[in-house]
Amino acid sequence: MKKLLFITLSTVFCSTVLLAQDSQKEMKETKYRRSSLHTILIESSNFPKKDQVINAYYSADFPDKYDNHNIGQKSFNPAKYTTDTVESKTPEVIEKYFKDEQIAKKLVAKWYNRQPDGSVDGNLISERGAFNASFLDVKTAAASNMGKSLISAAGEELLSNTFVVVSTMKFVENEPIARGIRDAAILALNNAPGLARTIGVKAAEILYEKGKEGYSVWTTSYLYKLKWTPEIKAIFENEMYADKESITPAIKAKFDNNTDLFEMEFVGSQKATTLVTFSLKEKRTEDQIINLSVARNIEKVYAKLQKNFDVFKPKVPLYTGEPITAKIGMKEGLEGGDKFEVLESVMDEKTGKIEYKSIGTIKVDGNKIWDNRKNLGDEAPVEGAVDRTTFKGGKKFYPGLLIRQLK
């Protein structure tokens, strides 16, 4: 009976897919545990089109391979978090902001749906843990030791994969930069022979005319991860976790007054630059071009973070098995030949944890990459355009298996 119960629960709780009977069928629904993300913008000093740039940042699509773990604080003024009279470096400002505003604690509080009275529950963990909601509501799980174990295991995985991306963004006029490059080139030609100097100056002027239009968006994004160890988890669950029926002022105070238990860990940073030009013969307003450029810039920096930091790489379900396709593309920075591992989820019978077993590799077909980058929204779809990326590789993969990019 015990074994049968586990098999039943494993079927209900399995974090990946409903196996497709036919690998040519399209995936209808895949439940799997995704990483969670909160994004923050550092408010910059004045620059051209600042308000439009900031509005474009806030209206840009949220990275759809992550769960939105918004805790409400979307931006901050760095001047409030400098550590001395000398302007602090950005990572120092971010770390002071995290500490002063207790960002890590707020991320944990959201995970457990913490209420003003201090009570918590496991509803969000159950939802994002890819559990069957019709079977696993919190009260049902609370009546089962196995249910508790599985929720706890899901919480450990989900909280350990909670990220914050803090971005700085500047919008720089191209003309002064282009002028400086032109002037430096002309200065370097002062001692050149007459004809060579004439040709060089003309070339510098042509490049200046081409490069002076519009602006450039410069973004630097800093990636942080919530520190969630078995020790931190045990302290929280044993000392600070209480539902509506068991919460007390003392338990509430332990969470409220503990400012050192929860922390963020720095993972790394990436930069991206996007040219915004108004010289193109397009039926787009200046605001539309700014919106598109900012959105593309954000997509570019996220793609770099994903490619360069393994811990931040999202898992994506296969859409079909024959041919092998997935709903990712140029927005994620895909290029022909990019290699992915194919993962199958396995539940550990003793711990309830999900492990991802690599069962093969596939490569992006360079001729069939989906252009899913941000568009203006008013462009007519191109006839015959693909809506997924095709991969080359194994023949026994089926819709719903997860893939993750390799370096």
Side-chain angles (χ1 to χ4, degrees):
M1 177 62 72
K2 189 173 181 180
K3 185 175 181 180
L4 178 61
L5 176 61
F6 177 79
I7 292 173
T8 302
L9 287 171
S10 296
T11 302
V12 175
F13 295 137
C14 181
S15 69
T16 55
V17 302
L18 302 174
L19 301 184
Q21 297 298 317
D22 184 347
S23 64
Q24 293 186 6
K25 291 181 179 179
E26 295 182 353
M27 176 202 68
K28 293 183 178 180
E29 181 181 6
T30 297
K31 292 187 175 184
Y32 62 101
R33 293 175 188 169
R34 307 197 300 176
S35 295
S36 295
L37 175 65
H38 174 54
T39 62
I40 301 174
L41 179 66
I42 297 180
E43 298 165 7
S44 302
S45 56
N46 288 326
F47 53 83
K49 302 292 181 180
K50 176 181 177 180
D51 290 342
Q52 179 65 20
V53 171
I54 291 175
N55 289 335
Y57 174 85
Y58 285 132
S59 62
D61 293 338
F62 185 84
D64 58 4
K65 301 301 182 290
Y66 303 88
D67 283 322
N68 191 340
H69 204 72
N70 178 20
I71 56 173
Q73 296 177 260
K74 297 293 292 179
S75 66
F76 69 90
N77 182 352
K80 297 179 180 179
Y81 303 95
T82 53
T83 55
D84 49 45
T85 55
V86 180
E87 185 176 354
S88 300
K89 295 180 180 179
T90 301
E92 295 173 352
V93 171
I94 294 172
E95 288 171 14
K96 190 172 191 307
Y97 166 75
F98 282 161
K99 184 175 182 179
D100 290 357
E101 300 299 328
Q102 300 185 57
I103 296 301
K105 181 189 285 189
K106 290 175 181 176
L107 294 172
V108 173
K110 172 153 185 170
W111 268 118
Y112 286 95
N113 193 29
R114 192 168 187 268
Q115 300 300 307
D117 65 358
S119 63
V120 298
D121 61 52
N123 291 345
L124 184 59
I125 290 175
S126 297
E127 176 186 336
R128 294 188 187 171
F131 297 137
N132 189 319
S134 66
F135 179 86
L136 182 66
D137 61 32
V138 175
K139 291 181 180 179
T140 301
S144 162
N145 287 333
M146 184 171 287
K148 290 180 181 178
S149 174
L150 290 168
I151 290 179
S152 180
E156 183 173 344
E157 180 182 342
L158 291 167
L159 270 76
S160 295
N161 288 285
T162 303
F163 298 92
V164 174
V165 171
V166 184
S167 299
T168 62
M169 185 171 287
K170 292 184 179 180
F171 211 56
V172 181
E173 289 183 89
N174 291 332
E175 195 280 331
I177 298 174
R179 182 178 359 114
I181 295 173
R182 178 201 63 185
D183 293 348
I186 293 174
L187 183 62
L189 292 167
N190 278 344
N191 296 324
L195 181 59
R197 186 179 187 282
T198 300
I199 294 174
V201 168
K202 186 175 181 179
E205 290 291 352
I206 292 173
L207 290 174
Y208 165 74
E209 290 298 326
K210 289 183 177 180
K212 72 177 183 178
E213 296 290 340
Y215 306 87
S216 292
V217 183
W218 293 359
T219 299
T220 302
S221 290
Y222 301 84
L223 176 64
Y224 292 83
K225 179 178 178 290
L226 177 66
K227 185 176 181 180
W228 191 253
T229 64
E231 293 76 19
I232 295 173
K233 175 175 173 285
I235 293 173
F236 173 77
E237 291 185 348
N238 294 332
E239 300 180 13
M240 306 174 191
Y241 189 107
D243 58 19
K244 285 285 186 183
E245 286 70 34
S246 59
I247 189 66
T248 66
I251 294 175
K252 179 179 183 299
K254 283 185 178 181
F255 184 89
D256 290 339
N257 299 332
N258 196 318
T259 59
D260 300 322
L261 180 62
F262 308 109
E263 298 178 301
M264 303 300 301
E265 298 176 300
F266 178 62
V267 178
S269 64
Q270 288 292 311
K271 297 180 179 181
T273 303
T274 300
L275 177 66
V276 183
T277 177
F278 305 129
S279 61
L280 300 177
K281 304 300 182 181
E282 299 183 45
K283 295 180 180 179
R284 293 176 175 173
T285 66
E286 182 174 342
D287 284 354
Q288 284 179 314
I289 294 174
I290 290 173
N291 290 343
L292 181 59
S293 300
V294 170
R296 289 275 180 92
N297 189 260
I298 294 170
E299 292 173 351
K300 189 184 297 185
V301 77
Y302 273 91
K304 287 186 174 183
L305 288 171
Q306 291 166 359
K307 280 194 171 184
N308 285 280
F309 303 108
D310 288 345
V311 70
F312 194 57
K313 290 179 178 177
K315 294 183 287 289
V316 180
L318 288 182
Y319 192 65
T320 60
E322 293 182 13
I324 304 169
T325 65
K327 289 282 191 174
I328 52 174
M330 294 183 184
K331 182 175 72 174
E332 289 78 23
L334 291 196
E335 298 177 355
D338 282 353
K339 193 173 182 180
F340 283 72
E341 61 178 337
V342 182
L343 304 171
E344 187 173 47
S345 68
V346 179
M347 177 178 284
D348 188 311
E349 185 171 340
K350 294 181 179 179
T351 65
K353 292 183 179 180
I354 297 295
E355 295 181 354
Y356 299 95
K357 178 183 177 183
S358 179
I359 59 173
T361 59
I362 54 178
K363 291 184 179 180
V364 174
D365 184 340
N367 297 317
K368 298 180 180 179
I369 302 177
W370 180 25
D371 187 356
N372 59 339
R373 294 172 297 179
K374 176 69 175 180
N375 292 314
L376 289 178
D378 57 355
E379 299 174 350
V382 178
E383 185 176 352
V386 297
D387 63 350
R388 66 201 75 172
T389 292
T390 300
F391 297 80
K392 300 176 181 179
K395 297 181 180 179
K396 295 183 179 180
F397 301 138
Y398 49 83
L401 283 174
L402 301 177
I403 62 173
R404 180 170 55 198
Q405 189 166 11
L406 296 168
K407 285 187 177 179

